[in-house]
Amino acid sequence: MVGADTLFPEIASSDHIISVAVPVPLRQTFDFLVPDDSPTAVRGARVKVPFGTRKLVGVITEVKSSSEFPESKLKKALEILDEISLFDEPLWHTLQWLSRYYLAPIGEVIGTALPSLIRQGGELRPANKKSWVLTDHGRASPLDELNRAPLQLAIIKRFMQSSLLDASDFKETSSGWRQAVNALVEKRWVQEYVSEPALAARTLKVDAREIETDLTLTGQQQDAVSGLFNAIDDKVFSCSLLHGVTGSGKTEVYFAAIDHVLALGKQALLLVPEIGLTPQLIDRIEQRFSAPVVMMHSGLNDTERHLAWWHARQGNAKIIVGTRSAVFSQFSDLGIVIIDEEHDGSFKQTDNVRYQARDVAIYRAKQHNIPIVLGSATPSIETYVNASNGRFKLFRLTERASKVSLPKIELIDLNQQATNDGLSPSMLEAIKMTVQRKKQVMLFLNRRGYAPVLYCKDCKQAAKCHRCDSHLTLHRRANRLRCHHCGYEGVIKTNCGSCQSSEMVDVGEGTQRVEDALALRFPESTVLRIDRDSTRRKGELAELLEQARSGKADILLGTQLITKGHDFPNVGMVGILEADQGLYSTDFRASENLFQQIIQVSGRAGRRDDVGHVFIQTRFPEHSFFDKVLTHDFNGFAEQLINERKAANFPPFGYFALLRCESAHQAKSLQFLRKAKDDMVNYDGVRIMDAIPAPMERRAGKYRAQLLVCSSQRSSLNACLAQWLHFLATDAQAKKFASSVRWTLDIDPLDHY
Ligand code: ADP
Ligand code: ZN
Ligand code: ZN
């Protein structure tokens, strides 16, 4: 492997002009003259440039001898910050591709790929600033010992969430933090870290534990592993789908592949969903590997992120585990990419640069000539199709590693029995039996708050958000009305806003109401509610999940936060309180998502010893959707969806782009999109739909509209939109209109609202 510094040949002295991508939402680069005292300008290096009245840090995209602008008009760049490129060739090509494919400004794309300290022009090498890490002794000591030192306790709790802390992390803590940290250093719970930029503390293993792999892989796991070993040894690009039912031991297969890559001296990248990066996974990785690991996720502070980036780039870190943006990490020698729960929606970024990390990872693996593995119990239809048509290799794990059968799924017909606080008599009975058997119960309801609607009995009006086309949700714990769309929060009025009547009733149930009902009915049992409201503080989700796992709670109740990949060993029964929303939705992906959710949440039941039970409450037990659910027939379900999508030319058989627009003036968003439609040139095979209001038109006081552009050919869709963007940038009138509204372009959108 060549080092980054040898990748770019010395430039000719006539090349005195540089094109620079600057972090602004403009789809172009800007030319500057190389500053006099900078003998070297290389593509991929950062450069400080004057931009209007500001000074910006950009990245050189080209070094050249002439510009389309007269040289006398070009400004001189202020300073070239790097002597070498910050991007290896595969990453550079990936970013260029990303910018073209998603029609995203190259400056923003490059910005997305760099940690903020680097983006702002900081030193590549992390500063030797004084910081602290938790010692093994500190990690092993019981927290009660700190009961009389609340500040020290608070500090240790922070260390449990963040590997490496420095003064900036304590700014908001009490002023006595320095003393408290010193006391902890004295006790050897915490240790100072001054010298070399450290690998994240979690990998500072004084005594690398002996690695235990006493598992004997099942035949199916073994087949998948040998297939992946071959793919790794081939040293060419390949993409594989590991389609394994919940609990089939996919993680063990990933680990075997990582082992193999590490033995070759290479690095492994493991991408996980946003909430998949649980302490449980981290522990599992650390118990399994003695190689240095870094984590990259949204919870890192700037210093930690910079360190993680640096260690991956230097090759110090061998295993890089991260959420979607980790796909932009730099490596010294990458050997494999693994994406766990590849179907998960969090791999798609939904603001700024709207990329799908799974697709970016595939492109990148191709550039590196290495294998990539996508794993899931419920693959996305896109991936499933690629595996069926042979574009991806397919490995299947059809049985659970523990040999326990998949859970038995039953429907509860809500036409036959009424629910009370969201719970039907059959559901209550099932909960009771499970609790009696000393097994955990897990209940899934994807609606937080107490009640979704506060309704006036007299005038039949519901309390509405004044900024959105939406009801306000009643939150009893906080005693507030909240809007789940814009964050508005207000007091609970005892009188109707329209008619002043005091006959206000709360209708429907959220997790809080069900929690109360459970507490009443099962007073002996501990109920644990896990949703966004109960996990606002950093680290709280991890804490609750750990409580759930350790078996401290008898009944877990939660939103989708509890569905993903967690291995709760003692769950005997799963209840899905409401499954109907996805059945008749206008969103063509709703049933796919519902199926995935049901299978994932069901997968938490009966993972160890005896067969688990799943109960689904529904008003539509006859719906054909449930035939496939009851038999765990993901393939059958997928085939059905594929036929539907093929017939309708929906993804992945047709390609979509969604142009969204919002404005404070009701008519303007639609006007802008109608004009956009008129301005777009009709490429062959491209269909431009009509501009329509968004399903929820008003949100946070803005009126939103959307325009769907479809094509059976990606290239014509891309060309059509690129042409329009060009028109927008060059036509004065169009440009003016565009700057008076807020619009965004989403290629391969996941959400259609
Ligand atoms: P998945 O990721 O497919 O849901 P996991 O990898 O989490 O499944 O495995 C589920 C459980 O089965 C874990 O506790 C794991 O340790 C165990 N397991 C995996 N493979 C084996 C095996 N070959 N033999 C015994 N137990 C296994
Ligand atoms: Zn009223
Ligand atoms: Zn609102």
Side-chain angles (χ1 to χ4, degrees):
M1 180 81 193
V2 272
D5 18 9
T6 58
L7 276 171
F8 302 98
E10 291 249 330
I11 48 150
S13 54
S14 60
D15 294 345
H16 59 298
I17 295 173
I18 49 178
S19 302
V20 178
V22 285
V24 293
L26 295 171
R27 288 171 172 75
Q28 65 177 105
T29 55
F30 297 86
D31 286 355
F32 292 92
L33 296 170
V34 172
D36 301 329
D37 50 352
S38 292
T40 53
V42 283
R43 191 180 78 180
R46 290 169 304 163
V47 58
K48 203 178 270 177
V49 294
F51 201 79
T53 56
R54 295 181 292 166
K55 289 175 191 163
L56 294 180
V57 177
V59 167
I60 301 175
T61 59
E62 201 184 339
V63 186
K64 55 193 185 179
S65 56
S66 65
S67 170
E68 55 182 294
F69 297 100
E71 233 170 81
S72 58
K73 290 233 167 122
L74 294 185
K75 286 193 188 145
K76 205 165 266 186
L78 301 169
E79 188 189 357
I80 294 179
L81 301 179
D82 305 301
E83 288 173 6
I84 55 166
S85 171
L86 295 195
F87 309 89
D88 57 32
E89 288 278 275
L91 178 55
W92 184 257
H93 290 306
T94 303
L95 297 178
Q96 296 294 332
W97 166 81
L98 199 159
S99 167
R100 288 192 306 273
Y101 182 92
Y102 292 101
L103 296 158
I106 183 69
E108 290 194 337
V109 169
I110 289 176
T112 306
L114 292 174
S116 66
L117 292 177
I118 298 297
R119 195 164 61 226
Q120 291 155 14
E123 289 283 329
L124 285 194
R125 188 191 175 78
N128 292 339
K129 105 166 109 170
K130 183 159 164 177
S131 44
W132 295 272
V133 295
L134 193 61
T135 61
D136 283 350
H137 173 63
R139 195 169 298 129
S141 303
L143 290 182
D144 328 352
E145 286 183 24
L146 296 180
N147 274 350
R148 275 178 298 135
L151 189 53
Q152 291 180 34
L153 183 65
I155 287 172
I156 287 295
K157 282 192 172 162
R158 287 249 16 211
F159 273 111
M160 307 235 157
Q161 299 148 20
S162 285
S163 45
L164 187 79
L165 299 176
D166 59 45
S168 67
D169 292 300
F170 297 118
K171 268 188 304 218
E172 283 133 48
T173 324
S174 141
S175 57
W177 70 265
R178 204 173 275 276
Q179 238 173 340
V181 170
N182 286 340
L184 288 166
V185 170
E186 199 111 310
K187 289 191 191 126
R188 293 192 306 111
W189 286 46
V190 164
Q191 137 191 354
E192 215 173 82
Y193 226 88
V194 201
S195 57
E196 267 289 280
L199 263 183
R202 286 190 160 278
T203 62
L204 284 175
K205 288 176 201 155
V206 186
D207 46 16
R209 271 156 288 185
E210 267 307 297
I211 299 157
E212 303 163 41
T213 37
D214 49 0
L215 285 180
T216 320
L217 294 181
T218 64
Q220 290 185 328
Q221 281 175 319
Q222 194 53 58
D223 289 345
V225 166
S226 1
L228 294 180
F229 280 11
N230 288 338
I232 295 164
D233 295 338
D234 283 347
K235 299 197 167 66
V236 292
F237 166 76
S238 65
C239 185
S240 310
L241 166 62
L242 178 62
H243 185 183
V245 297
T246 51
S248 58
K250 294 183 286 296
T251 316
E252 290 304 324
V253 175
Y254 305 150
F255 284 180
I258 293 175
D259 256 341
H260 196 66
V261 163
L262 295 181
L264 298 171
K266 292 168 183 282
Q267 296 167 293
L269 170 65
L270 172 60
L271 293 179
V272 296
E274 237 150 45
I275 46 182
L277 195 48
T278 55
Q280 199 189 336
L281 175 68
I282 297 172
D283 286 349
R284 230 171 128 178
I285 291 175
E286 292 191 331
Q287 276 163 25
R288 180 71 152 68
F289 299 97
S290 60
V293 184
V294 290
M295 310 287 167
M296 297 189 178
H297 53 86
S298 57
L300 298 187
N301 60 31
D302 288 351
T303 315
E304 287 172 310
R305 186 172 292 274
H306 182 195
L307 268 180
W309 176 84
W310 170 260
H311 287 303
R313 183 176 191 270
Q314 296 300 103
N316 303 341
K318 295 299 178 196
I319 305 174
I320 293 89
V321 191
T323 51
R324 99 189 141 231
S325 66
V327 74
F328 299 119
S329 307
Q330 308 235 14
F331 307 96
S332 65
D333 194 1
L334 184 62
I336 196 167
V337 183
I338 298 165
I339 306 190
D340 189 26
E341 311 286 355
E342 68 86 32
H343 64 278
D344 194 89
S346 73
F347 288 117
K348 168 93 186 183
Q349 169 130 324
T350 51
D351 52 17
N352 287 320
V353 180
R354 291 171 168 71
Y355 65 91
Q356 164 59 269
R358 177 181 68 224
D359 297 338
V360 177
I362 293 172
Y363 189 90
R364 185 154 184 202
K366 213 180 271 175
Q367 302 301 306
H368 283 276
N369 270 318
I370 56 169
I372 175 167
V373 186
L374 314 179
S376 177
T378 52
S380 63
I381 294 299
E382 282 80 357
T383 298
Y384 188 88
V385 167
N386 279 324
S388 327
N389 66 21
R391 199 172 307 167
F392 293 175
K393 294 181 189 168
L394 175 62
F395 301 108
R396 297 187 58 191
L397 308 177
T398 53
E399 280 178 13
R400 287 187 152 184
S402 58
K403 297 283 178 256
V404 174
S405 311
L406 287 169
K408 192 167 173 329
I409 304 183
E410 287 173 50
L411 300 181
I412 297 174
D413 184 354
L414 293 187
N415 303 301
Q416 309 274 329
Q417 37 181 299
T419 60
N420 229 325
D421 297 323
L423 300 161
S424 60
S426 300
M427 187 67 85
L428 285 168
E429 184 60 24
I431 297 173
K432 194 169 121 196
M433 305 283 284
T434 312
V435 172
Q436 277 172 0
R437 283 193 300 132
K438 300 269 179 271
K439 286 279 176 185
Q440 271 179 320
V441 173
M442 189 160 133
L443 300 175
F444 174 62
L445 175 63
N446 216 0
R447 199 186 297 123
R448 62 197 174 87
Y450 186 85
V453 182
L454 185 64
Y455 178 81
C456 169
K457 272 184 167 169
D458 285 329
C459 76
K460 320 276 187 243
Q461 299 277 329
K464 290 222 173 74
C465 176
H466 63 291
R467 302 159 67 197
C468 306
D469 292 334
S470 155
H471 295 149
L472 292 171
T473 299
L474 182 68
H475 284 251
R476 280 258 184 259
R477 302 284 180 280
N479 223 358
R480 307 291 264 184
L481 284 174
R482 285 189 184 140
C483 175
H484 287 185
H485 301 283
C486 71
Y488 163 84
E489 182 166 319
V491 292
I492 301 175
K493 300 206 180 75
T494 41
N495 293 77
C496 170
S498 305
C499 74
Q500 311 309 319
S501 156
S502 58
E503 292 288 298
M504 301 293 282
V505 282
D506 43 44
V507 187
E509 49 285 317
T511 46
Q512 293 179 1
R513 186 196 289 258
V514 179
E515 182 186 23
D516 286 357
L518 291 168
L520 263 177
R521 294 192 180 253
F522 303 97
E524 319 273 85
S525 306
T526 327
V527 180
L528 194 66
R529 174 170 61 89
I530 303 185
D531 57 28
R532 211 133 56 76
D533 298 308
S534 70
T535 56
R536 281 192 192 279
R537 268 191 303 112
K538 192 176 171 183
E540 217 162 13
L541 175 61
E543 247 167 66
L544 289 183
L545 287 173
E546 186 44 42
Q547 276 180 37
R549 210 171 77 86
S550 66
K552 270 186 208 140
D554 305 307
I555 306 177
L556 316 174
L557 163 69
T559 55
Q560 53 167 351
L561 287 188
I562 57 170
T563 61
K564 313 223 171 159
H566 311 301
D567 196 11
F568 300 131
N570 197 33
V571 172
M573 170 215 153
V574 165
I576 297 173
L577 301 190
E578 136 111 51
D580 293 345
Q581 264 190 355
L583 289 179
Y584 293 100
S585 167
T586 51
D587 180 352
F588 76 93
R589 277 186 228 272
S591 64
E592 177 185 353
N593 292 341
L594 180 63
F595 199 94
Q596 286 164 343
Q597 228 162 39
I598 292 180
I599 295 296
Q600 292 289 345
V601 73
S602 305
R604 306 306 125 212
R607 283 167 78 89
R608 287 292 190 286
D609 23 28
D610 47 10
V611 181
H613 280 266
V614 177
F615 296 89
I616 306 175
Q617 299 187 149
T618 175
R619 272 183 204 288
F620 306 100
E622 314 291 326
H623 197 294
S624 66
F625 174 88
F626 288 116
D627 301 344
K628 303 283 189 276
V629 170
L630 295 184
T631 50
H632 298 267
D633 185 8
F634 180 81
N635 292 355
F637 175 72
E639 299 298 338
Q640 200 172 306
L641 274 190
I642 287 170
N643 288 336
E644 286 169 25
R645 297 223 189 142
K646 236 185 223 163
N649 255 324
F650 280 178
F653 303 99
Y655 306 106
F656 283 5
L658 196 62
L659 185 59
R660 298 187 179 89
C661 182
E662 61 176 55
S663 158
H665 307 286
Q666 182 158 21
K668 217 165 165 182
S669 300
L670 276 171
Q671 269 168 15
F672 174 76
L673 295 179
R674 287 195 189 112
K675 178 162 162 35
K677 177 174 172 159
D678 290 343
D679 291 341
M680 283 181 196
V681 174
N682 241 322
Y683 279 72
D684 205 22
V686 175
R687 280 179 70 204
I688 307 167
M689 305 305 193
D690 284 327
I692 52 167
M696 183 199 286
E697 185 176 13
R698 201 166 52 107
R699 187 156 121 188
K702 297 276 168 49
Y703 292 88
R704 306 163 333 127
Q706 59 191 39
L707 178 71
L708 185 66
V709 187
C710 332
S711 175
S712 51
Q713 278 194 308
R714 236 181 225 304
S715 53
S716 20
L717 181 68
N718 187 276
C720 168
L721 294 165
Q723 178 276 335
W724 174 71
L725 287 168
H726 181 73
F727 173 78
L728 208 61
T730 46
D731 180 272
Q733 200 201 343
K735 202 171 176 173
K736 193 166 163 221
F737 199 168
S739 63
S740 73
V741 292
R742 211 183 103 77
W743 60 272
T744 56
L745 183 58
D746 193 352
I747 308 292
D748 305 336
L750 269 192
D751 295 326
H752 288 254
Y753 51 82

